Amino acid sequence: MDQQQPPATPLQLHVPEPTGRPGVATDFSFLHVSPAGEVRRPPVDTPHSETQDLAYALIRVLDEQGRAVGPWVPDLDAVQLRRGLRAMMKTRIFDARMLIAQRQKKLSFYMQCLGEEAIAVAHSLALKAGDMCFPTYRQQGLLLARDDVSMVEMMCQLMSNERDPLKGRQLPVMYSYKRAGFFTISGNLATQFIQSVGWAMASAIKGDTKIASGWIGDGSTAESDFHTALTFAHVYRAPVILNVVNNQWAISTFQAIAGGESTTFAAKGVGCGIASLRVDGNDFLAVYAASVWAAERARRNLGPTLIEWVTYRAGPHSTSDDPSKYRPADDWQRFPLGDPIERLKVHLIGLGEWSPAQHEQARKELEAEVAAAQKEAESHGSLLDGHIPSAASMFEDVYRDMPWHLREQRQQLGV
Amino acid sequence: MLTRTEQAKLALAEAGPTQPMTMIQALRSALDVTMARDDNVVVFGEDVGYFGGVFRVTEGLQQKYGKSRCFDAPINEGGIVGAAIGMGAYGLRPIVEIQFADYFYPAADQIISEAARLRFRSAGDFTAPITIRMPCGGGIYGGQTHSQSPEAIFTHVCGLRTVMPSNPIDAKGLLISAIECDDPVIFLEPKRLYNGPFDGHHDRPVVPWSKHELCNVPEGHYTTPLESAAVFRSGAALTVLTYGTMVWVSACAAAETGIDAEIIDLRSLWPLDIQTIEASVKKTGRCVVVHEATRTCGFGAELASMVQERCFYHLEAPIERVTGWDTPYPHAQEWAYFPGPERVGAAFKRAVEA
């Protein structure tokens, strides 16, 4: 040993902690929030290596006064903006209503996307018919933004009733809507991220023009399929948008434990050779603009894009969770990027295209729409009354054709 | 009931001109035939593209069909299977290769949680018409991670089909059936049988497939139906339920012991051909299950259990199982581990003498 070296000090294991805990306010300075309009908008054919700065900055369009500023202001007219606002409001009201239904035991389980409505809703407007999303369980906005998916049908899935399109086989919120470009949700985290890359590769193999959009949360980026997806997307230059929804929390675990401390999830894309953006997920205009940028990049065969959407999981993780046990009760009020619905509302009012009275009117209409849908869904049964799909249907769709052993087991059940 | 050889002759007669092929060539022919027939068939995996696979199964396919139909993949089994599932959801019919069955474990989540359940959980909205090829089995001094037989892990998963051929004719016909099947298929290829049949006599020179009539494989398209077992050797003294390399070991044991064993090559492990099994055991009254895989909770346990449930009053002896030991697959102790003709023959004797 070299006598000149200082004596070894005992090593210490580093275990990241959130700054805020119940009763202690969160210090949100770790977010590194760029001012609205400040971050550059490169051409869509920019090489991945030149997106390094974007992976550490934060693309924002709406400023504190609700004005749209800077190079990312998207080409959206008031009709489209009002449509987006309405879809976000619908998503929030749907969530609130289903939360109550869960408390009334009409469904066994529910997961809100409170505070994250802008991401799925604005993103869905940037995609085209035939594109395929590979969502997690918190992108119901992708469905609720569409006119061709009935809320009644979604609620029937949540209630596992006689009209459940998934025949009672799936936990509530695990929707599947191929016709709406919404891949079947799995309880196993991150699995769909690589599947979205495979779907995009297939589109490229067939010389198609459709693109895929994969979704993952901050916590699940630690799963191996996240890294797998980035590698395959990069290697095969797959036409895919890789969305990381960083809502800061994976159940009770702060995003630092997922590997977000002193870095960003967008930066992981750049490291894998993928053009990457870090975007204000509560800014409807920024979400739409970044989604359009990535979609165009994919559609022009310029390769994948990773987007980290910075947002906040305002609600509990699920109806089985109590966030007051691990984070401050007023955390969302203090989150610097605010509420996506409120921010778009202020913007539209500033444009003279919306008013508090119209907002109130829209809210009432949507509440009535959701309530009516719930009433209709409940008429087809719920867990409370036992009107569920037949036990015989449990044996179907395991294989294309039912093998002898399943026919035998169905007979043993006497159905 | 047709014997294996009679069935093979029938296949020869119906499927046009034949070529002598090894199992490797037969598998390659199956890929070639399906790629030519269906533009949606794509082949990928580690080293399967330019190089043609570490066992040469995909040799020449990239050159013939282009890099968008047959290509190399990163060393990531979960990625290979996960990407294939996405492609299947799009409408392709991917055939992927896991270089050794011993290396499927990183893809377990994609196989078990995703491929197997896609159709069920989406009520048929999405399906996974994918084939996952894996060289398996021992007897080649492969040690712990080039010899395993993990079929019981797959047969336990609802939604999967598990298939294993024992000769070139079946290899091609079963692989074409697997590819054309809309369910996900785990296609296990006993690498010990790639170049020739193997009866467990490692001290004797290997006989190539060209010396056996099961090498005469039709050049064109034909299928060997899934869920159909083959009576490899008909007999009256006892029923042997087996598959893969152990079909040949069992045939050798029957010849050496002189016991008139009826050897059933299951071919499809799950779902399987229960009628052929049941009819045979009811005829013979005795049953021996033979597989390379480890014993406890191996697929043999399911076979023995089914026979017990369905043929109890016909059984004249306890059901025997000859399997690999409950240890990781060793290197130096290869032939003490591998259930060779001597161990299998001893079980036959116990079964007929009981």
Side-chain angles (χ1 to χ4, degrees):
Chain A
M1 282 285 284
D2 185 347
Q3 294 298 313
Q4 299 305 310
Q5 279 191 351
T9 52
L11 297 167
Q12 277 189 312
L13 180 70
H14 175 66
V15 180
E17 268 291 317
T19 52
R21 283 297 191 190
V24 182
T26 300
D27 173 6
F28 281 106
S29 62
F30 71 90
L31 280 179
H32 301 294
V33 176
S34 312
E38 195 190 61
V39 178
R40 70 192 178 91
R41 183 185 190 280
V44 291
D45 61 354
T46 201
H48 73 88
S49 55
E50 288 174 24
T51 62
Q52 177 108 7
D53 58 321
L54 302 171
Y56 290 97
L58 191 67
I59 293 164
R60 308 179 72 202
V61 170
L62 293 172
D63 70 10
E64 303 302 318
Q65 284 74 46
R67 291 171 304 207
V69 295
W72 287 90
V73 176
D75 185 21
L76 277 175
D77 62 27
V79 174
Q80 291 166 302
L81 290 173
R82 279 195 296 264
R83 189 178 156 214
L85 181 65
R86 204 178 166 88
M88 287 200 287
M89 293 169 76
K90 182 176 159 188
T91 303
R92 186 167 294 181
I93 290 164
F94 182 95
D95 275 357
R97 191 91 198 176
M98 291 303 101
L99 189 67
I100 292 166
Q102 192 277 336
R103 297 303 185 220
Q104 294 170 335
K105 296 186 165 53
K106 288 171 180 170
L107 38 137
S108 65
F109 178 78
Y110 194 70
M111 299 178 101
Q112 298 170 271
C113 66
L114 182 65
E116 302 173 36
E117 295 91 344
I119 300 165
V121 168
H123 188 84
S124 81
L125 302 181
L127 297 177
K128 291 185 178 171
D131 294 342
M132 184 65 73
C133 285
F134 287 74
T136 76
Y137 46 66
R138 223 183 292 280
Q139 273 80 51
Q140 53 264 58
L142 291 170
L143 290 173
L144 289 160
R146 296 183 67 115
D147 301 326
D148 58 348
V149 174
S150 94
M151 283 194 287
V152 176
E153 210 174 274
M154 290 173 71
M155 289 171 177
C156 287
Q157 193 282 327
L158 296 171
M159 293 171 186
S160 294
N161 66 20
E162 286 167 345
R163 289 285 178 90
D164 173 3
L166 306 183
K167 303 181 184 176
R169 294 175 189 156
Q170 276 275 52
L171 199 65
V173 314
M174 306 282 184
Y175 310 105
S176 175
Y177 281 91
K178 189 175 190 175
R179 62 184 158 83
F182 190 97
F183 187 71
T184 162
I185 295 176
S186 168
N188 297 68
L189 298 176
T191 50
Q192 76 289 342
F193 218 47
I194 175 63
Q195 291 162 2
S196 74
V197 177
W199 195 97
M201 289 167 69
S203 184
I205 287 168
K206 297 304 280 183
D208 203 343
T209 57
K210 300 185 188 104
I211 63 168
S213 181
W215 294 83
I216 202 167
D218 48 283
S220 298
T221 62
E223 292 280 8
S224 55
D225 280 340
F226 171 72
H227 306 270
T228 299
L230 266 55
T231 300
F232 277 63
H234 162 72
V235 167
Y236 299 109
R237 213 174 291 167
V240 62
I241 306 172
L242 296 167
N243 301 280
V244 179
V245 181
N246 179 2
N247 67 16
Q248 316 305 324
W249 293 94
I251 308 187
S252 73
T253 308
F254 184 58
Q255 55 98 6
I257 288 276
E261 194 171 59
S262 312
T263 186
T264 70
F265 295 101
K268 299 181 187 218
V270 181
C272 286
I274 295 173
S276 301
L277 309 174
R278 187 168 175 267
V279 181
D280 179 345
N282 292 4
D283 178 338
F284 186 90
L285 298 180
V287 174
Y288 179 79
S291 299
V292 165
W293 189 89
E296 192 189 340
R297 189 176 165 87
R299 237 179 275 282
R300 284 176 52 187
N301 216 30
L302 297 165
T305 303
L306 184 144
I307 307 176
E308 176 184 347
W309 306 108
V310 179
T311 184
Y312 187 83
R313 196 198 75 211
H317 165 70
S318 72
T319 49
S320 307
D321 177 46
D322 176 8
S324 72
K325 296 281 192 280
Y326 52 80
R327 72 182 189 189
D330 64 345
D331 228 21
W332 191 28
Q333 284 76 54
R334 302 168 55 85
F335 182 65
L337 304 180
D339 175 344
I341 293 179
E342 203 53 35
R343 286 174 67 190
L344 183 58
K345 175 186 162 190
V346 170
H347 173 63
L348 268 169
I349 291 172
L351 292 178
E353 296 286 353
W354 198 241
S355 69
Q358 276 176 293
H359 195 82
E360 187 54 23
Q361 177 65 24
R363 195 181 57 76
K364 280 184 180 156
E365 283 169 14
L366 287 164
E367 276 180 353
E369 220 179 287
V370 172
Q374 187 183 354
K375 200 174 171 194
E376 191 184 336
E378 282 177 22
S379 76
H380 302 304
S382 75
L383 279 185
L384 272 183
D385 61 18
H387 284 281
I388 58 168
S390 77
S393 71
M394 171 168 76
F395 299 94
E396 293 162 8
D397 296 326
V398 180
Y399 299 89
R400 192 193 65 184
D401 304 311
M402 195 181 296
W404 64 269
H405 70 286
L406 289 179
R407 287 198 305 275
E408 212 176 74
Q409 288 171 26
R410 190 181 58 185
Q411 284 159 9
Q412 281 168 14
L413 187 62
V415 290
Chain B
M1 198 179 285
L2 293 176
T3 65
R4 186 67 202 85
T5 308
E6 286 161 351
Q7 283 187 359
K9 280 178 183 160
L10 207 64
L12 295 182
E14 288 174 358
T18 63
Q19 276 285 330
M21 296 187 199
T22 64
M23 191 185 277
I24 290 167
Q25 290 164 332
L27 293 165
R28 186 190 306 146
S29 176
L31 297 174
D32 191 4
V33 163
T34 52
M35 288 178 89
R37 280 167 66 99
D38 183 354
D39 285 345
N40 289 325
V41 172
V42 295
V43 172
F44 64 103
E46 295 155 21
D47 303 299
V48 309
Y50 181 85
F51 180 58
V54 295
F55 292 108
R56 318 313 299 154
V57 172
T58 58
E59 189 174 25
L61 296 178
Q62 185 176 80
Q63 204 174 14
K64 185 168 176 184
Y65 296 100
K67 284 202 287 186
S68 66
R69 300 282 306 283
C70 177
F71 53 91
D72 290 313
I75 303 175
N76 186 322
E77 290 76 14
I80 290 166
V81 176
I85 292 167
M87 289 179 190
Y90 175 92
L92 299 190
R93 205 166 271 276
I95 306 153
V96 295
E97 178 181 302
I98 303 294
Q99 203 159 79
F100 288 87
D102 316 62
Y103 300 136
F104 94 82
Y105 305 109
D109 195 25
Q110 289 288 345
I111 294 172
I112 298 168
S113 311
E114 302 291 320
R117 299 190 193 147
L118 220 52
R119 179 188 296 274
F120 182 78
R121 76 169 194 238
S122 70
D125 205 16
F126 294 93
T127 60
I130 68 175
T131 304
I132 307 174
R133 293 183 38 244
M134 305 180 195
C136 70
I140 53 142
Y141 282 104
Q144 286 185 41
T145 57
H146 299 81
S147 308
Q148 294 170 37
S149 298
E151 63 269 17
I153 298 174
F154 302 117
T155 53
H156 184 61
V157 177
C158 44
L160 294 180
R161 289 181 180 273
T162 304
V163 174
M164 193 191 300
S166 68
N167 62 75
I169 292 182
D170 283 356
K172 178 170 173 180
L174 287 169
L175 182 53
I176 293 175
S177 286
I179 296 165
E180 293 175 352
C181 178
D182 290 336
D183 300 320
V185 180
I186 305 295
F187 196 85
L188 294 160
E189 303 167 2
K191 66 183 97 63
R192 178 70 242 202
L193 301 180
Y194 269 161
N195 292 303
F198 178 68
D199 62 10
H201 283 295
H202 53 94
D203 46 343
R204 298 176 191 169
V206 175
V207 181
W209 277 117
S210 60
K211 306 282 187 214
H212 198 284
E213 65 179 315
L214 290 173
C215 84
N216 293 313
V217 178
E219 287 176 298
H221 177 275
Y222 70 95
T223 58
T224 303
L226 304 181
E227 292 184 54
S228 77
V231 180
F232 187 82
R233 180 195 188 280
S234 54
L238 64 93
T239 297
V240 183
L241 302 181
T242 189
Y243 45 90
T245 307
M246 289 301 140
V247 170
W248 298 91
V249 174
S250 299
C252 175
E256 289 176 357
T257 56
I259 292 172
D260 187 22
E262 178 146 291
I263 299 169
I264 295 178
D265 178 357
L266 297 177
R267 303 198 292 198
S268 283
L269 273 49
W270 197 262
L272 50 57
D273 177 356
I274 190 66
Q275 286 170 338
T276 299
I277 295 171
E278 214 173 309
S280 177
V281 178
K282 283 181 176 169
K283 181 181 79 174
T284 64
R286 296 164 203 274
C287 181
V288 177
V289 175
V290 188
H291 62 56
E292 285 185 65
T294 52
R295 184 180 181 88
T296 305
C297 298
F299 187 55
E302 185 62 40
L303 292 171
S305 187
M306 283 191 301
V307 169
Q308 187 274 139
E309 285 163 357
R310 287 162 190 274
C311 310
F312 184 75
Y313 294 107
H314 294 79
L315 284 174
E316 291 168 39
I319 302 162
E320 287 269 352
R321 278 186 286 165
V322 189
T323 69
W325 307 118
D326 280 341
T327 71
Y329 207 111
H331 184 242
Q333 301 87 348
E334 175 89 65
W335 306 114
Y337 179 93
F338 184 91
E342 202 176 325
R343 264 173 66 200
V344 174
F348 289 1
K349 283 182 197 157
R350 287 197 298 276
V352 292
E353 285 161 12

